[in-house]
Amino acid sequence: MAKVRTPAESSIDPAAVEMLTWAGERGLSTAFSRADTMQPCPIGADSLCCKNCFMGPCRVVKEGQTGVCGATVGTIAARNFARAVAAGSAAHSDHGRDMAFILKAAATGQARDYKIRDPYKLFTMAETLGVPTQGRTVEEIASDVADIAISQFGQQTGEVVYVKRAPAKRQKIWREFGVAPRGIDREVVEVLHRTHIGDDQDPEHIMDAAVRCALSDGWGGSMLASDISDVLFGTPSPLLARANLGVLKQDEVNIIIHGHEPTLSEMILAATGDPELIAYANSKGATGINLAGICCTSNETLVRQGVPSAGNFLHQELAILTGAVEAMVVDVQCIMQALAPLAENFHTEIITTSKKVKITGATHIEFDEHHALETAKEIVRRAIDNFANRGETHIPDISADLVAGFSHEYINYALGGVFRGSFRPLNDAIASGRIRGVVANVGCNNPRVSQDSIHQYLVREFLKNDVLVVETGCGAIASAKQGYSLGESALEYAGPGLREVCEAVGMPPVLHMGSCVDNTRILTVLTQMASEGGLGDDISDIPAVGLAPEWMSEKALAIATYAAASGAYVIMGVTNPVRGSDEVQSLIGDGWREKFGGRLEFVLDPADILQKTLAHIDERRAALKLPAYDPSKWGKSGDERMLHLVQLPFAERQAAMYGEVA
Ligand code: BF8
């Protein structure tokens, strides 16, 4: 019988600890308690179970053992891995498809509640996609951009068009190994076909299909999702917001938006500002309408409009436990089935809105882009009506300030200014050793480990070691809750070089870049760093590492695969889903390093993750013949030189720190 953890052992977040204690006193279960009582299947956990046909499921637990069809451990592990990547890619990319259809509807006047908010981003997309812009209206351009975006999903031959946004050297590698993706749907379907009984049996060949599929998401579906969201809802730039359960309000109607797609949540945000609905809320005894997010819907509205975040993945049940949520409005992905039965203990109404997701026990109000605002208003009105039904409430008085919204466009601008936006200062700071390297710390919570504990440990250690941290998804919310997304708090932990650069540029050392589809923004940053010069000419040259230390979803596996195939060293924590096969572990390790320059490793000990990350950064620095990292070279914050520098106008400060930029 597994040990049942105390609340303090289940999460490092004091708000979560408070709510888990509250739940325990009422005998209510959560993912935290269920993780204690539901142990993972040991055969499946190691990828030693094959259920791709009905002669099985076959359990292959001994070396040399095979399934009924003769499938070896390596084949089974590769098939399981590839199928997870296909599911993860499908989820992210299908989100991108929906965004493309909304763009088309907005451009052609069929979805009048949506507007083109960022025409500059649209023009950038048009240029990449080969859509003419001269003498045309924004709507005409958007319509053509949407058509090409939609075509990427069903494309059968050639290459997904965003492949050309990767460094030239990278594109060549993909073509050489036959993994440049042809079309997004095609790659997902092919993985499902190739992993059917009696098809592809060579582990390396199966893993190549997984890579091609993941690349179709990273440099296809997800990248389109981020771009189109920016076009429709605005490209993020830094703004101040708050995170954690304390953003819920005792005297207001609380509505939580949870899931991933910004389409309906943006409309709900608009509806919550409607004076008629605010007056209606007042008439029901509430002082206002308070909107907060969970998971990546939260990240989407946080980085663009500063909608507060009630928390990350493991906070979804905790929000309901407060008894103060009138409606939890969900769309797609990462929505626990446990929400509806838990909500039965409270007045909270769970409202599903996607054509793709219905949940037993939830109210279904289907979102239709043609009547988006109308639907959003109906939902807000229901939430207001539910305010009177509140029973006992318990809102932890815990939340933290944060700054979010670091799109690659903004980073470019912050580093170089409007007229000479550039990654040069960042490259120079890495080259000089002020910044040792960059870590992308992304991904989920997993209740198998203390919530946010590995995120927190690693982020603090990286800051101490002068490593710049960029974040997305639930990892970004974990940092936000800890106060690390705010320069003032995070710089307390930062080493001297990193601190010096961040203070001069005016950026926190932990950059919240958005939702999980926005991991593609990180690909763009890495590509821009590679093309800026001084750090090699490909993503694999850059002293950077990708981490998902508390991951749990198939999407995370897809992201890790496209990042590794893009040249990054990727480490995932918590569990190793291919532990049963030395062959597959070697394929994604040394095998991918030889082919793609990147690799994927599952490392369960957080101290090992730290050590391996820093070792890789230092090894990349040495390969680039950069000076070895030496923090003693850089001044302490607040020294005379820095005090002088931060008082200079931006351009002069840049010139003083980095010299003239070519
Ligand atoms: O897509 S980090 S738990 S919410 S899967 Fe889900 Fe994981 Fe959170 Fe965003 Ni990403």
Side-chain angles (χ1 to χ4, degrees), residues 92 258-260 294-297 299 312-313 333-334 442-445 472-475 515-517 551-553 555-556 559:
H92 263 161
H258 169 26
H260 283 76
I294 293 267
C295 282
C296 282
T297 297
N299 284 322
N312 43 6
F313 177 67
Q333 301 165 22
C334 302
V442 308
C444 324
N445 286 144
T472 60
C474 289
S515 64
C516 284
V517 292
W551 75 286
M552 63 85 204
S553 77
K555 288 183 293 173
I559 294 164

mmCIF file of all heavy atoms in Angstrom, residues 92 258-260 294-297 299 312-313 333-334 442-445 472-475 515-517 551-553 555-556 559, ligand 1:
data_model
loop_
_atom_site.group_PDB
_atom_site.id
_atom_site.type_symbol
_atom_site.label_atom_id
_atom_site.label_comp_id
_atom_site.label_asym_id
_atom_site.label_seq_id
_atom_site.Cartn_x
_atom_site.Cartn_y
_atom_site.Cartn_z
ATOM 1 N N HIS A 92 -2.521 19.512 -30.231
ATOM 2 C CA HIS A 92 -2.016 20.877 -30.433
ATOM 3 C C HIS A 92 -2.361 21.403 -31.819
ATOM 4 O O HIS A 92 -2.772 22.544 -31.997
ATOM 5 C CB HIS A 92 -0.494 20.891 -30.271
ATOM 6 C CG HIS A 92 -0.064 21.313 -28.903
ATOM 7 N ND1 HIS A 92 1.183 21.051 -28.402
ATOM 8 C CD2 HIS A 92 -0.708 21.995 -27.948
ATOM 9 C CE1 HIS A 92 1.271 21.551 -27.188
ATOM 10 N NE2 HIS A 92 0.141 22.122 -26.887
ATOM 11 N N HIS A 258 -10.983 27.552 -18.535
ATOM 12 C CA HIS A 258 -9.997 26.463 -18.365
ATOM 13 C C HIS A 258 -9.921 25.649 -19.654
ATOM 14 O O HIS A 258 -10.946 25.324 -20.245
ATOM 15 C CB HIS A 258 -10.460 25.609 -17.176
ATOM 16 C CG HIS A 258 -9.729 24.318 -16.999
ATOM 17 N ND1 HIS A 258 -8.443 24.091 -17.440
ATOM 18 C CD2 HIS A 258 -10.105 23.168 -16.384
ATOM 19 C CE1 HIS A 258 -8.075 22.866 -17.122
ATOM 20 N NE2 HIS A 258 -9.067 22.281 -16.490
ATOM 21 N N GLY A 259 -8.727 25.310 -20.038
ATOM 22 C CA GLY A 259 -8.524 24.523 -21.252
ATOM 23 C C GLY A 259 -7.393 25.140 -22.062
ATOM 24 O O GLY A 259 -6.339 25.448 -21.489
ATOM 25 N N HIS A 260 -7.639 25.358 -23.357
ATOM 26 C CA HIS A 260 -6.525 25.795 -24.210
ATOM 27 C C HIS A 260 -6.818 26.824 -25.281
ATOM 28 O O HIS A 260 -5.928 27.548 -25.697
ATOM 29 C CB HIS A 260 -5.869 24.569 -24.849
ATOM 30 C CG HIS A 260 -5.009 23.857 -23.862
ATOM 31 N ND1 HIS A 260 -5.533 23.066 -22.881
ATOM 32 C CD2 HIS A 260 -3.681 23.876 -23.659
ATOM 33 C CE1 HIS A 260 -4.551 22.615 -22.113
ATOM 34 N NE2 HIS A 260 -3.413 23.089 -22.567
ATOM 35 N N ILE A 294 -7.323 28.947 -15.731
ATOM 36 C CA ILE A 294 -6.564 27.770 -15.296
ATOM 37 C C ILE A 294 -5.916 27.184 -16.551
ATOM 38 O O ILE A 294 -6.504 27.228 -17.638
ATOM 39 C CB ILE A 294 -7.498 26.688 -14.672
ATOM 40 C CG1 ILE A 294 -8.121 27.162 -13.357
ATOM 41 C CG2 ILE A 294 -6.781 25.358 -14.507
ATOM 42 C CD1 ILE A 294 -7.400 26.808 -12.085
ATOM 43 N N CYS A 295 -4.736 26.604 -16.405
ATOM 44 C CA CYS A 295 -4.033 25.926 -17.506
ATOM 45 C C CYS A 295 -3.745 26.906 -18.645
ATOM 46 O O CYS A 295 -3.518 28.084 -18.413
ATOM 47 C CB CYS A 295 -4.792 24.692 -17.980
ATOM 48 S SG CYS A 295 -4.567 23.271 -16.881
ATOM 49 N N CYS A 296 -3.784 26.426 -19.883
ATOM 50 C CA CYS A 296 -3.285 27.266 -20.979
ATOM 51 C C CYS A 296 -4.307 28.257 -21.509
ATOM 52 O O CYS A 296 -3.915 29.263 -22.115
ATOM 53 C CB CYS A 296 -2.710 26.404 -22.095
ATOM 54 S SG CYS A 296 -1.067 25.809 -21.638
ATOM 55 N N THR A 297 -5.610 28.043 -21.305
ATOM 56 C CA THR A 297 -6.557 29.122 -21.599
ATOM 57 C C THR A 297 -6.153 30.310 -20.749
ATOM 58 O O THR A 297 -6.205 31.464 -21.181
ATOM 59 C CB THR A 297 -8.008 28.705 -21.283
ATOM 60 O OG1 THR A 297 -8.366 27.611 -22.122
ATOM 61 C CG2 THR A 297 -8.985 29.844 -21.534
ATOM 62 N N ASN A 299 -3.093 30.978 -19.707
ATOM 63 C CA ASN A 299 -1.891 31.595 -20.282
ATOM 64 C C ASN A 299 -2.218 32.471 -21.492
ATOM 65 O O ASN A 299 -1.622 33.525 -21.687
ATOM 66 C CB ASN A 299 -0.887 30.509 -20.671
ATOM 67 C CG ASN A 299 -0.176 29.951 -19.457
ATOM 68 O OD1 ASN A 299 0.146 30.683 -18.527
ATOM 69 N ND2 ASN A 299 0.057 28.644 -19.440
ATOM 70 N N ASN A 312 -2.228 26.446 -12.123
ATOM 71 C CA ASN A 312 -1.879 25.506 -13.186
ATOM 72 C C ASN A 312 -2.694 24.219 -13.076
ATOM 73 O O ASN A 312 -3.660 24.149 -12.316
ATOM 74 C CB ASN A 312 -0.361 25.269 -13.253
ATOM 75 C CG ASN A 312 0.291 25.096 -11.886
ATOM 76 O OD1 ASN A 312 -0.383 25.034 -10.862
ATOM 77 N ND2 ASN A 312 1.598 25.019 -11.871
ATOM 78 N N PHE A 313 -2.265 23.212 -13.820
ATOM 79 C CA PHE A 313 -3.057 21.986 -14.003
ATOM 80 C C PHE A 313 -3.637 21.431 -12.703
ATOM 81 O O PHE A 313 -4.824 21.112 -12.624
ATOM 82 C CB PHE A 313 -2.163 20.945 -14.694
ATOM 83 C CG PHE A 313 -2.799 19.600 -14.887
ATOM 84 C CD1 PHE A 313 -3.870 19.444 -15.748
ATOM 85 C CD2 PHE A 313 -2.312 18.484 -14.219
ATOM 86 C CE1 PHE A 313 -4.448 18.193 -15.945
ATOM 87 C CE2 PHE A 313 -2.882 17.239 -14.404
ATOM 88 C CZ PHE A 313 -3.954 17.090 -15.274
ATOM 89 N N GLN A 333 -8.685 19.929 -23.778
ATOM 90 C CA GLN A 333 -7.391 19.472 -23.241
ATOM 91 C C GLN A 333 -7.159 19.802 -21.759
ATOM 92 O O GLN A 333 -7.408 20.925 -21.323
ATOM 93 C CB GLN A 333 -6.216 20.048 -24.053
ATOM 94 C CG GLN A 333 -6.265 19.675 -25.521
ATOM 95 C CD GLN A 333 -5.335 20.505 -26.380
ATOM 96 O OE1 GLN A 333 -4.362 21.081 -25.912
ATOM 97 N NE2 GLN A 333 -5.634 20.563 -27.671
ATOM 98 N N CYS A 334 -6.632 18.782 -21.059
ATOM 99 C CA CYS A 334 -6.178 18.899 -19.668
ATOM 100 C C CYS A 334 -7.312 19.184 -18.679
ATOM 101 O O CYS A 334 -7.074 19.718 -17.591
ATOM 102 C CB CYS A 334 -5.053 19.923 -19.536
ATOM 103 S SG CYS A 334 -3.641 19.521 -20.579
ATOM 104 N N VAL A 442 9.417 24.165 -19.235
ATOM 105 C CA VAL A 442 8.022 24.176 -19.677
ATOM 106 C C VAL A 442 7.280 22.956 -19.124
ATOM 107 O O VAL A 442 7.837 22.161 -18.384
ATOM 108 C CB VAL A 442 7.961 24.194 -21.228
ATOM 109 C CG1 VAL A 442 8.816 25.314 -21.781
ATOM 110 C CG2 VAL A 442 8.386 22.861 -21.826
ATOM 111 N N GLY A 443 6.031 22.850 -19.522
ATOM 112 C CA GLY A 443 5.276 21.631 -19.247
ATOM 113 C C GLY A 443 4.454 21.678 -17.980
ATOM 114 O O GLY A 443 4.304 22.700 -17.328
ATOM 115 N N CYS A 444 3.982 20.506 -17.642
ATOM 116 C CA CYS A 444 2.840 20.311 -16.762
ATOM 117 C C CYS A 444 3.190 20.285 -15.280
ATOM 118 O O CYS A 444 4.325 20.510 -14.877
ATOM 119 C CB CYS A 444 2.220 18.960 -17.100
ATOM 120 S SG CYS A 444 2.269 18.523 -18.852
ATOM 121 N N ASN A 445 2.146 19.987 -14.493
ATOM 122 C CA ASN A 445 2.260 19.420 -13.142
ATOM 123 C C ASN A 445 1.952 17.932 -13.266
ATOM 124 O O ASN A 445 1.169 17.522 -14.117
ATOM 125 C CB ASN A 445 1.188 19.961 -12.195
ATOM 126 C CG ASN A 445 1.427 21.385 -11.755
ATOM 127 O OD1 ASN A 445 0.464 22.124 -11.596
ATOM 128 N ND2 ASN A 445 2.650 21.773 -11.537
ATOM 129 N N THR A 472 6.781 28.408 -20.529
ATOM 130 C CA THR A 472 5.416 28.384 -21.075
ATOM 131 C C THR A 472 4.595 27.424 -20.218
ATOM 132 O O THR A 472 5.128 26.745 -19.332
ATOM 133 C CB THR A 472 5.387 27.848 -22.524
ATOM 134 O OG1 THR A 472 5.902 26.511 -22.505
ATOM 135 C CG2 THR A 472 6.174 28.712 -23.489
ATOM 136 N N GLY A 473 3.315 27.341 -20.531
ATOM 137 C CA GLY A 473 2.444 26.315 -19.955
ATOM 138 C C GLY A 473 2.369 26.375 -18.444
ATOM 139 O O GLY A 473 2.476 27.430 -17.817
ATOM 140 N N CYS A 474 2.200 25.205 -17.837
ATOM 141 C CA CYS A 474 2.018 25.145 -16.381
ATOM 142 C C CYS A 474 3.321 25.437 -15.639
ATOM 143 O O CYS A 474 3.285 25.845 -14.476
ATOM 144 C CB CYS A 474 1.444 23.794 -15.991
ATOM 145 S SG CYS A 474 -0.282 23.658 -16.520
ATOM 146 N N GLY A 475 4.464 25.225 -16.287
ATOM 147 C CA GLY A 475 5.743 25.606 -15.675
ATOM 148 C C GLY A 475 5.796 27.107 -15.466
ATOM 149 O O GLY A 475 6.279 27.601 -14.440
ATOM 150 N N SER A 515 1.405 29.984 -23.669
ATOM 151 C CA SER A 515 0.808 28.664 -23.474
ATOM 152 C C SER A 515 1.711 27.593 -24.084
ATOM 153 O O SER A 515 2.787 27.893 -24.598
ATOM 154 C CB SER A 515 -0.555 28.641 -24.157
ATOM 155 O OG SER A 515 -0.356 28.804 -25.554
ATOM 156 N N CYS A 516 1.225 26.347 -24.074
ATOM 157 C CA CYS A 516 2.074 25.265 -24.614
ATOM 158 C C CYS A 516 2.226 25.332 -26.126
ATOM 159 O O CYS A 516 3.265 24.941 -26.646
ATOM 160 C CB CYS A 516 1.536 23.907 -24.180
ATOM 161 S SG CYS A 516 1.945 23.572 -22.465
ATOM 162 N N VAL A 517 1.204 25.811 -26.856
ATOM 163 C CA VAL A 517 1.441 25.964 -28.309
ATOM 164 C C VAL A 517 2.511 27.027 -28.538
ATOM 165 O O VAL A 517 3.188 27.026 -29.565
ATOM 166 C CB VAL A 517 0.161 26.308 -29.123
ATOM 167 C CG1 VAL A 517 -0.822 25.160 -29.150
ATOM 168 C CG2 VAL A 517 -0.491 27.588 -28.669
ATOM 169 N N TRP A 551 6.265 16.813 -16.257
ATOM 170 C CA TRP A 551 5.346 16.571 -17.372
ATOM 171 C C TRP A 551 4.403 15.399 -17.096
ATOM 172 O O TRP A 551 4.689 14.539 -16.271
ATOM 173 C CB TRP A 551 6.139 16.294 -18.649
ATOM 174 C CG TRP A 551 6.754 14.914 -18.677
ATOM 175 C CD1 TRP A 551 7.836 14.498 -17.963
ATOM 176 C CD2 TRP A 551 6.306 13.785 -19.429
ATOM 177 N NE1 TRP A 551 8.096 13.177 -18.227
ATOM 178 C CE2 TRP A 551 7.174 12.706 -19.124
ATOM 179 C CE3 TRP A 551 5.268 13.559 -20.338
ATOM 180 C CZ2 TRP A 551 7.028 11.436 -19.691
ATOM 181 C CZ3 TRP A 551 5.128 12.296 -20.912
ATOM 182 C CH2 TRP A 551 5.996 11.265 -20.578
ATOM 183 N N MET A 552 3.294 15.386 -17.829
ATOM 184 C CA MET A 552 2.378 14.244 -17.736
ATOM 185 C C MET A 552 1.618 13.991 -19.029
ATOM 186 O O MET A 552 1.013 12.950 -19.197
ATOM 187 C CB MET A 552 1.401 14.401 -16.565
ATOM 188 C CG MET A 552 0.448 15.577 -16.648
ATOM 189 S SD MET A 552 -1.043 15.222 -17.589
ATOM 190 C CE MET A 552 -1.553 16.846 -18.105
ATOM 191 N N SER A 553 1.596 14.918 -19.994
ATOM 192 C CA SER A 553 0.674 14.752 -21.131
ATOM 193 C C SER A 553 1.384 14.269 -22.393
ATOM 194 O O SER A 553 2.598 14.424 -22.546
ATOM 195 C CB SER A 553 -0.033 16.082 -21.429
ATOM 196 O OG SER A 553 0.847 16.938 -22.114
ATOM 197 N N LYS A 555 0.986 15.643 -25.175
ATOM 198 C CA LYS A 555 1.440 16.867 -25.866
ATOM 199 C C LYS A 555 2.883 17.197 -25.469
ATOM 200 O O LYS A 555 3.678 17.642 -26.297
ATOM 201 C CB LYS A 555 0.534 18.056 -25.496
ATOM 202 C CG LYS A 555 -0.842 18.000 -26.110
ATOM 203 C CD LYS A 555 -1.647 19.240 -25.755
ATOM 204 C CE LYS A 555 -1.965 19.298 -24.273
ATOM 205 N NZ LYS A 555 -2.591 20.556 -23.862
ATOM 206 N N ALA A 556 3.194 16.970 -24.194
ATOM 207 C CA ALA A 556 4.559 17.270 -23.724
ATOM 208 C C ALA A 556 5.573 16.395 -24.457
ATOM 209 O O ALA A 556 6.673 16.845 -24.801
ATOM 210 C CB ALA A 556 4.647 17.079 -22.217
ATOM 211 N N ILE A 559 6.059 17.811 -27.890
ATOM 212 C CA ILE A 559 6.910 19.017 -27.846
ATOM 213 C C ILE A 559 8.374 18.611 -27.684
ATOM 214 O O ILE A 559 9.261 19.129 -28.368
ATOM 215 C CB ILE A 559 6.479 19.939 -26.679
ATOM 216 C CG1 ILE A 559 5.078 20.495 -26.914
ATOM 217 C CG2 ILE A 559 7.479 21.091 -26.497
ATOM 218 C CD1 ILE A 559 4.430 21.088 -25.662
HETATM 219 O O1 BF8 B 1 -0.822 22.517 -22.747
HETATM 220 S S1 BF8 B 1 1.515 22.243 -19.479
HETATM 221 S S2 BF8 B 1 -0.907 20.285 -17.969
HETATM 222 S S3 BF8 B 1 -2.281 22.895 -19.488
HETATM 223 S S4 BF8 B 1 -0.281 19.826 -21.299
HETATM 224 FE FE1 BF8 B 1 -1.853 20.694 -19.817
HETATM 225 FE FE2 BF8 B 1 0.675 20.235 -19.426
HETATM 226 FE FE3 BF8 B 1 -0.459 22.305 -18.377
HETATM 227 FE FE4 BF8 B 1 -1.280 23.583 -21.359
HETATM 228 NI NI1 BF8 B 1 0.643 21.878 -21.690
#
